[in-house]
Amino acid sequence: MRTVGKPLKTLAAVSVLGLVVAGCSSEGGAQDEGGAAAGEEYTIAMVTHEAPGDTFWDKIRNGAEAAAANHNITLNYSADPDAGRQATLVQNAIDSGVDGVAVTLPTPDAIGPAAQDAVDAGIPVVAFNAGGDQYRDHGVSMYFGSNEDLAGQAVGTQLAETGSTGKTVCVIQEQGQVQLETRCAGVAKTYPNTEILYVNGRDLPSVQQTIGAKLQQDPSVTAIVALGADIALAAQQSKDDAGSQAAIATFDLNQDVAQQIQSGGIAFSVDQQPFVQGYMAVTSLWLNITNGNDIGGGGPVLTGPSIVDSSNIDAILPYTENNTR
């Protein structure tokens, strides 16, 4: 099968997708697959740190809903960007008697204990998207996501290869979230002249103003690294307003970013494949509940990083239009 991304270092467990989809009936669900799972219905709670208006999570949900449809699962999705309230949502899922929990861990100290409570209650739990270095501390046996440190290092290396020689500004839109902090730390490992800029990611006009002010104040900035597609588009506007020539790189994709990569407005993206994260989080719970499977042997199953740039954007762009990439 021809690949369209340029994965740097990933595990091959995503092949499970093809096996699962192949066994599903046109009706959706596992009732025709035979075995102990035939005809069974399950309820899985997915609890994330999605912030209102952040379109990144649409792909997570698309993947999760596709898996739920395939396996006769009722998916209860809930989200809150506040760590304490997200932990409460996990506890609510436990109290409602769900069959499994898929949870992000952007602030593991706050949310991890709730995940541990689910494990202690005998509910299968998988983590995904955030908390790849901490999930095992809270009794969780499976994780699906990108290696954020490796992804950050890939960005720094790619910037150097594209000829950037000045300062790089790495823009963090949610201060303290472990996956975002790790990304920028990774960038600094391979591009030492990197400075962190904190912005309020829930207020895009403010993001644009803060980045623009930095560019006007510091002409030594030759590259901006955004940690999300919406932030990258705001940075692009900031760059234009400031008359800066700084290159823009980003984590994550949406259709607008993909089009900007194609046209040269954004240099490249590091894709963590959120559709796969949502799909595998739900599918792995179904496999655990129905067949006792633990995917990854306790280690993380990596969905990225994968560099998307001018060399492969033409093949990837159609999938962004479907909101699956």
Side-chain angles (χ1 to χ4, degrees), residues 51-52 173-174 199-210 231 234:
Q173 69 267 31
E174 292 281 353
V199 299
N200 178 6
R202 304 177 204 181
D203 183 352
L204 287 176
S206 170
V207 171
Q208 185 177 321
Q209 292 168 6
T210 303
I231 306 300

Side-chain angles (χ1 to χ4, degrees), residues 34 37 49 56 60 63 80 103 165 189-190 193-194 200 218 220-221 226 232 235 248 256 260 268 279 291 304 306 314:
H49 59 281
F56 168 83
I60 293 275
D80 202 298
V103 62
T165 57
K189 286 181 179 179
T190 51
N193 191 9
T194 295
N200 178 6
D218 189 351
S220 70
V221 175
I248 297 176
D256 290 335
Q260 286 299 316
F268 62 91
Y279 192 102
N291 203 49
S306 180
D314 290 344

Side-chain angles (χ1 to χ4, degrees), residues 52 60 94 102 142 161 229 250 252 255 271 289:
I60 293 275
I94 297 170
M142 289 184 279
E161 290 177 353
T250 188
D252 303 333
Q255 186 176 3
D271 186 21
I289 293 165

